[in-house]
């Protein structure tokens, strides 16, 4: 029996090959092969015991039934308060929907703004679930090319060129996965102008909002005239090391939030009450706690900058935030896939090729800085030696 296009077309696409490396890494690890895994953006610490205790206490206290669907009033209020305080944009509980992680928020936001066959834009390189999320709701994914020279930040004219009468949304992500770029005010203003001109919704994926090393995180929702057309995707995953708890949110105009609340009824039926209570507890832990979760990535970014300064073959996209480092290995004359395969097979260093994230980051490698500092430094030092040697071989040819 045939399955629907929506489900059949969910995965695949032109970058599927690049993911073979990820599955090979998994298989090697499962077979007990020692390797340094820099593939996936997951903290090397677990959820803090205090948060787990709050979760346990909530469950033992009886919060195990169907929970409030748009989110518990207390959690919605806490998220609204946090967003208002951080961004200066008036935000109430009616502007907040609690979702099963940022991923469910990405799904709900696209479901809310796309009709069958309409186009959804996002800059290339992109977080790999984006195209499938758009296809899953019947939309047409449209990657907007960006350039390494621009730090992979999209130019307004590229957004306008990619939008036509049928485009409904632009999805951006700052701090960015996979590039580590943080969009500054000028970039965001240019994007906002293009979005307004093209009559698009802006979906702003801000799941790395607390992981910024240079500059500061700005939400486009705070720009003039943008709150009414912006849907912000937030998450507890990265900020609180709660990836497995599956809790995030959408912030946006009240009517859109109410409509997406209906979608929650028809999909997840909400997020477990004890997880919502744990999130509420975590949000109360304060800046110091959030800084401590983010700090290792900043430290490793600094380690990377020092390692990179000792050579001049591999260049990095300035890593201003998130958990990642994007390295330009085009000096080897090889694809990111070939270089990454070599690193895995010969050096047991697992990284993802830029090609896993679309066409614009071809010839790059993405490193998740998610192993301890010493292991990270050792792996990066070796990677730079190996890639340097590959580039020399090419030069001698
Ligand atoms: N957006 C980006 C850019 C991500 O990197 C991730 C997770 N890696 C997500 C969204 C989804 O995160 P979660 O569903 O865990 O909140």
């Amino acid at each position: 029996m045939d399955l629907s296009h929506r489900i059949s077309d969910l995965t695949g696409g032109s970058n599927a090959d690049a993911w073979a490396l990820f599955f090979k890494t998994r298989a090697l690890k499962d077979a007990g092969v020692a390797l340094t895994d820099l593939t996936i953006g997951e903290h090397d610490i677990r959820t803090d015991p205090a948060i787990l205790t709050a979760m346990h206490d909530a469950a033992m206290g009886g919060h195990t039934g169907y929970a409030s669907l748009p989110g518990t009033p207390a959690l919605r209020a806490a998220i609204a308060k946090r967003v208002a305080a951080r961004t200066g944009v008036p935000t109430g509980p009616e502007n907040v929907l609690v979702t099963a992680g940022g991923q469910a928020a990405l799904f709900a936001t696209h479901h809310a703004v796309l009709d069958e066959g309409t186009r959804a834009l996002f800059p290339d390189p992109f977080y790999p679930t984006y195209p499938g999320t758009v296809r899953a709701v019947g939309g047409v994914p449209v990657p907007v090319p960006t350039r390494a020279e621009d730090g992979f930040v999209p130019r307004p004219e590229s957004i306008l060129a990619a939008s036509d009468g049928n485009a409904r949304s632009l999805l951006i992500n700052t701090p960015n996965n996979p590039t580590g770029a943080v969009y500054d005010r000028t970039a965001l203003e240019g994007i906002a102008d293009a979005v307004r001109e093209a009559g698009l919704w802006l979906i702003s994926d801000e799941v790395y909002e607390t992981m910024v090393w240079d500059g500061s995180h700005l939400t486009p929702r705070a720009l003039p005239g943008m709150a009414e057309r912006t849907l912000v995707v937030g998450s507890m995953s990265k900020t609180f090391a709660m990836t497995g708890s599956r809790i995030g949110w959408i912030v946006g105009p009240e009517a859109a939030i109410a409509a997406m609340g209906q979608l929650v009824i028809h999909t997840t039926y909400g997020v477990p009450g004890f997880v919502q209570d744990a999130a509420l507890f975590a949000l109360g832990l304060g800046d110091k706690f959030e800084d401590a979760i983010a700090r290792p990535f900043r430290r490793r970014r600094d380690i990377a900058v020092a390692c990179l300064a000792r050579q001049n073959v591999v260049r990095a996209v300035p890593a201003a935030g998130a958990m990642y480092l994007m390295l330009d290995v085009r000096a080897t004359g090889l694809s990111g896939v070939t270089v990454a395969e070599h690193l895995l097979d010969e050096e047991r260093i697992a990284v993802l090729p830029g090609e896993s994230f679309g066409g614009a980051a071809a010839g790059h490698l993405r490193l998740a800085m998610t192993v301890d500092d010493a292991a990270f430094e050792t792996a990066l030092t070796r990677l730079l030696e190996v890639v340097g040697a590959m580039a020399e071989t090419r030069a001698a040819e």
Side-chain angles (χ1 to χ4, degrees):
M1 288 297 291
D2 288 344
L3 293 169
S4 73
H5 286 302
R6 285 186 176 188
I7 197 85
S8 310
D9 297 347
L10 208 54
T11 54
S14 58
N15 62 348
D17 282 357
W19 283 91
L21 240 121
F22 171 68
F23 295 111
K24 188 168 172 185
T25 302
R26 279 237 165 131
L28 286 169
K29 279 175 93 172
D30 289 347
V33 175
L35 51 83
T36 308
D37 187 356
L38 307 176
T39 57
I40 287 294
E42 174 124 67
H43 314 71
D44 45 322
I45 54 159
R46 304 286 84 193
T47 303
D48 193 275
I51 299 175
L52 296 178
T53 301
M55 197 182 292
H56 177 260
D57 289 350
M60 293 304 280
H63 207 173
T64 54
Y66 292 125
S68 173
L69 289 186
T72 63
L75 182 59
R76 287 177 97 192
I79 294 168
K81 196 167 153 213
R82 173 190 177 88
V83 169
R86 289 177 67 91
T87 67
V89 186
T91 307
E94 68 283 0
N95 300 116
V96 177
L97 180 69
V98 174
T99 61
Q103 188 56 49
L106 286 166
F107 183 87
T109 48
H110 284 93
H111 207 302
V113 304
L114 297 178
D115 279 313
E116 195 76 32
T118 56
R119 291 151 62 91
L121 280 43
F122 45 83
D124 175 352
F126 48 82
Y127 175 54
T129 69
Y130 288 174
T133 301
V134 170
R135 284 193 293 263
V137 300
V140 179
V142 180
V144 178
T146 63
R147 296 162 220 233
E149 310 83 83
D150 294 344
F152 294 114
V153 174
R155 294 183 180 187
E157 59 267 30
S158 311
I159 296 167
L160 288 171
S163 57
D164 63 12
N166 188 7
R168 289 281 176 81
S169 59
L170 171 72
L171 164 61
I172 59 168
N173 169 226
T174 177
N176 189 267
N177 177 11
T179 66
V182 173
Y183 295 8
D184 64 16
R185 180 174 293 279
T186 312
L188 286 172
E189 282 172 352
I191 290 168
D193 286 346
V195 160
R196 273 195 305 264
E197 190 175 330
L200 304 176
W201 280 93
L202 183 60
I203 300 174
S204 181
D205 178 344
E206 303 182 18
V207 302
Y208 295 100
E209 62 169 348
T210 56
M211 297 179 169
V212 179
W213 327 133
D214 299 322
S216 53
H217 172 66
L218 291 170
T219 177
R221 182 169 175 259
L223 297 177
M226 289 305 289
E228 69 211 43
R229 59 168 70 240
T230 303
L231 300 170
V232 176
V233 170
S235 178
M236 299 296 291
S237 287
K238 312 291 177 176
T239 304
F240 295 93
M242 289 178 71
T243 49
S245 293
R246 313 309 306 134
I247 181 160
W249 60 79
I250 303 166
V251 168
E254 185 175 355
I257 292 295
M260 290 183 285
Q262 291 298 314
L263 183 65
V264 168
I265 295 177
H266 293 89
T267 52
T268 57
Y269 217 80
V271 174
F274 49 89
V275 174
Q276 295 198 52
D277 287 352
L280 180 64
F281 171 83
L283 287 170
L285 287 170
D287 289 349
K288 261 202 186 142
F289 181 86
E290 296 176 26
D291 288 349
I293 302 278
R295 200 171 306 131
F297 303 104
R298 185 198 180 116
R299 254 189 351 248
R300 292 168 199 159
R301 192 286 304 257
D302 292 344
I303 289 171
V305 169
C307 290
L308 282 153
R310 290 184 211 120
Q311 53 85 62
N312 55 15
V313 175
V314 176
R315 274 186 300 197
V317 176
M323 303 174 159
Y324 310 101
L325 187 64
M326 186 68 106
L327 300 179
D328 181 347
V329 295
R330 286 177 291 179
T332 61
L334 303 169
S335 72
V337 176
T338 305
V339 176
E341 273 171 354
H342 180 86
L343 288 167
L344 182 60
D345 293 342
E346 305 300 328
E347 305 293 334
R348 294 298 185 225
I349 299 171
V351 300
L352 288 175
E355 290 84 350
S356 315
F357 305 92
H364 288 70
L365 302 176
R366 191 201 73 167
L367 280 59
M369 300 187 286
T370 46
V371 295
D372 71 59
D373 296 13
F376 179 68
E377 182 161 8
T378 304
L380 181 57
T381 305
R382 182 65 191 146
L383 180 154
L384 293 173
E385 274 169 22
V386 171
V387 174
M390 289 169 112
E392 246 174 54
T393 310
R394 180 204 187 198
E397 277 169 6

